[in-house]
Amino acid sequence: MSKLILVTGGTGFIGSHTVVELQQAGFDVVIVDNLSNSKAEVVDNIEKITGKRPLFECFDLSDRALTHEFFKKYTNIEAIIHFAAFKAVGESVQKPLEYYRNNLNALMNLLECMKEYGVNNFVFSSSCTVYGQPDKLPVTETTPRKPAESPYGNTKAVAEDIIRDFAHVNSQAKCLALRYFNPIGAHPSALIGESPVGVPNNLVPYITQTAAGLRKELSIFGNDYNTPDGTPIRDYINVVDLSKAHVVAINRLISGKNKVNYEYFNIGTGNGYSVMELVNAFIKATGVNLPYKIVGRRAGDIEKIWADTTLANNELGWKAEASIEDTLLSAWNWEKKCRNIE
Ligand code: UDP
């Protein structure tokens, strides 16, 4: 029986791109997803890109009994990449218990099953949100974490702590967290991408939907920040580059090249772009008109953050490669495909 990589949340935005990269690197994959924020047809599109259909199980990982049943059925799991989680910052403020229950129960069920069924390798989808507004930029992995701004952000910080404490007393386990900066873009095939439900919260889906005519104009949330053009700065990372970091992480754990049994890495480009710079880069890359207006600040937004990626570059041998223009063009091509725009 061939070994499998379990990708939870594998039909979601980052999960689906990671399944593609894993399969293209020769791994066999089983996806677990409850389709709460994604569609089953993503599995078909992964197959179209790679020529290989990942296995797929639809259930909720916050259900302990079902999670155990899964591990009893699949005795050949070599490693887990855990993406499955609720991720809307604003919604998490309104529904804190749902967020804590879903995100943390799923994590604990998986860790419990790792121990019980002898799965040793675990990669966790974390976020630069754990740094809050850092005092010093760029942020390295030794930059202190700050209290989270939202229940969602707190689920990431608490999850990291749970994994750290689990690894501390389980010497067989090898755990690795990737702290993503702002993932954007889509697969160059335009067969998979980001599909927000309803009005997008994130900048790039809002930009592409505005360019496609679904939204009247982009609202830029504040131009009175302490940045060169007054708009906030983020480190936007191409989703395919980001997905490749997971393949590298899996290889590191499987081959036992990890230094300690809980490691964490910043996954960004190392470059900061302001909202205004990103808007201009989109217009330049696509040649499409993008109506926008400046409005007030959005509650909870930080001013600026970008990554120091030295550790990921040197230790993982991973580096972001795509240009911001190509990345924005890939997001636009995906939007056009979804809306049947020529
Ligand atoms: N932003 C904006 N208009 C939007 C959505 C986002 O001006 O419609 C800005 C937001 O204020 C932030 C940046 O874009 O400075 C990135 O926001 P996003 O929600 O994509 O990611 P975050 O960094 O908040 O996780």
Side-chain angles (χ1 to χ4, degrees), residues 14 83 85-96 99-100 103-104 124-130 148-159 180-181 183 202:
I14 308 172
F83 294 104
F86 291 161
K87 62 170 186 177
V89 175
E91 185 186 59
S92 79
V93 176
Q94 300 308 319
K95 300 179 175 173
Y99 269 68
Y100 287 116
N103 293 5
L104 298 180
F124 179 65
S125 164
S126 190
S127 167
C128 70
T129 184
V130 299
E149 295 276 350
S150 68
Y152 160 75
N154 206 28
T155 66
K156 291 294 176 194
V158 174
Y180 316 148
F181 283 67
N202 295 113

Side-chain angles (χ1 to χ4, degrees), residues 89 127-129 181-184 200-207 218-222 225 231-234 236 275 278 295 297-298 300-303 305:
V89 175
S127 167
C128 70
T129 184
F181 283 67
N182 286 54
I184 62 165
N201 291 309
N202 295 113
L203 179 59
V204 170
Y206 208 104
I207 287 176
L218 168 74
S219 295
I220 295 179
F221 298 137
Y225 286 96
T231 61
I233 295 176
R234 298 288 184 271
Y236 296 94
V275 174
L278 201 81
V295 300
R297 292 183 178 196
R298 180 171 71 176
D301 271 350
I302 60 160
E303 186 165 270
I305 187 164

Side-chain angles (χ1 to χ4, degrees), residues 122-173:
F122 188 81
V123 174
F124 179 65
S125 164
S126 190
S127 167
C128 70
T129 184
V130 299
Y131 296 117
Q133 175 60 68
D135 299 327
K136 213 172 128 229
L137 288 164
V139 284
T140 71
E141 288 76 358
T142 56
T143 298
R145 289 186 345 190
K146 292 238 172 110
E149 295 276 350
S150 68
Y152 160 75
N154 206 28
T155 66
K156 291 294 176 194
V158 174
E160 284 194 354
D161 293 345
I162 291 172
I163 296 165
R164 178 201 61 205
D165 295 347
F166 172 82
H168 182 67
V169 292
N170 289 283
S171 55
Q172 299 290 308

